[in-house]
Amino acid sequence: EQRVYLDFHRRPPFDLPMNTKTTLKGKSIRMAVLDYGLFQVHANGRIIGICGFVVQTDADETVLIDTGFPAKYAVDSAAATAQDDLGSFGRVLSVTPENMPAAQLAKLGLTPADITLMIQSHTHIDHVGHMDGFPHAPILIAAAERALPRPLYWSGKQIMEWPEAEYQLVEEDFTLGNGFEVFLCPGHAPGQLAFMIDLPQTGAVLLTSDAISRAAEIDEGFAGSWDVAQAIHHGARLMEMASARDALVIFGHSPEQWPDLRKAPDWFT
């Protein structure tokens, strides 16, 4: 959804704790959608949901994908918006304490301590707000995003530091575990990730994240992306995979899909 991007920087000149051979021990058995709030985009007035995901395996592993807006938005969204200059893009309609990761996890009977792996789909403001909130868990992230001096955050406001963590870097598509595939899809952001989750009853579920924010973005040619050509390429290949596997597609910020999308405390199984 964000339309201003920073350019690449070289990888920071220090050693990072990292592991590129991450795998899950178990098979994906259920997935939940987390509700991190509502945002309205000024350019066209569309109202979008801010989402995260929890995926659990039969080996008692719990994976968290993205963490929503920073906590300051649940305290005073107007002040936070002003501080981050986010008002040039849109406005927060609803980000409350109930939309924070801990509260959303609680709906599922989970706590932050239950998270065994955290994944950053990319590093924009509505996805990285609590990246430092799970210090015990490794962070899976695209190498291209982690190579930046700081997370992208928003429109040059790179106010977040990288938290100390074990970073597990993604440089190509790979299988994270049985029923859990990770796709590297630069376009919207330099290190955008998407995911295919295979569940026992639901079947294949494609989580596009912001690689495809909404179905209409395909027809719009991914205008405003960090790299339009790559966004078009990866958007097409994701939809081809979804079609081939008859997958349920959950878009990153779909105004049409979000209101009726099943969310925590309910699971896709």
Side-chain angles (χ1 to χ4, degrees), residues 211-227:
I212 312 174
S213 68
R214 60 198 186 283
E217 192 172 34
I218 299 170
D219 295 332
E220 295 167 4
F222 295 89
S225 295
W226 167 77
D227 186 316

Side-chain angles (χ1 to χ4, degrees), residues 53-80:
F53 303 92
V54 168
V55 179
Q56 290 192 314
T57 77
D58 59 8
D60 294 324
E61 297 159 305
T62 301
V63 180
L64 174 64
I65 303 175
D66 292 342
T67 59
F69 275 104
K72 64 184 180 181
Y73 279 86
V75 176
D76 188 335
S77 62

Side-chain angles (χ1 to χ4, degrees), residues 53-172:
F53 303 92
V54 168
V55 179
Q56 290 192 314
T57 77
D58 59 8
D60 294 324
E61 297 159 305
T62 301
V63 180
L64 174 64
I65 303 175
D66 292 342
T67 59
F69 275 104
K72 64 184 180 181
Y73 279 86
V75 176
D76 188 335
S77 62
T81 296
Q83 182 183 40
D84 293 333
D85 289 339
L86 188 58
S88 61
F89 180 67
R91 66 189 182 104
V92 171
L93 295 182
S94 176
V95 174
T96 72
E98 284 295 307
N99 300 117
M100 297 292 98
Q104 287 293 302
L105 291 172
K107 290 178 178 285
L108 300 169
L110 300 171
T111 71
D114 292 315
I115 301 304
T116 55
L117 176 68
M118 203 186 88
I119 300 179
Q120 280 300 149
S121 67
H122 62 301
T123 60
H124 283 142
I125 187 173
D126 53 331
H127 297 262
V128 297
H130 299 259
M131 187 166 53
D132 62 351
F134 307 85
H136 60 285
I139 298 175
L140 184 74
I141 187 171
E145 297 278 310
R146 187 58 186 88
L148 300 170
R150 294 182 177 187
L152 286 167
Y153 202 67
W154 163 247
S155 189
K157 291 280 186 176
Q158 289 188 290
I159 64 172
M160 286 185 67
E161 299 284 353
W162 292 106
E164 292 188 13
E166 177 191 338
Y167 289 94
Q168 302 180 337
L169 304 183
V170 178
E171 297 185 288
E172 61 185 358

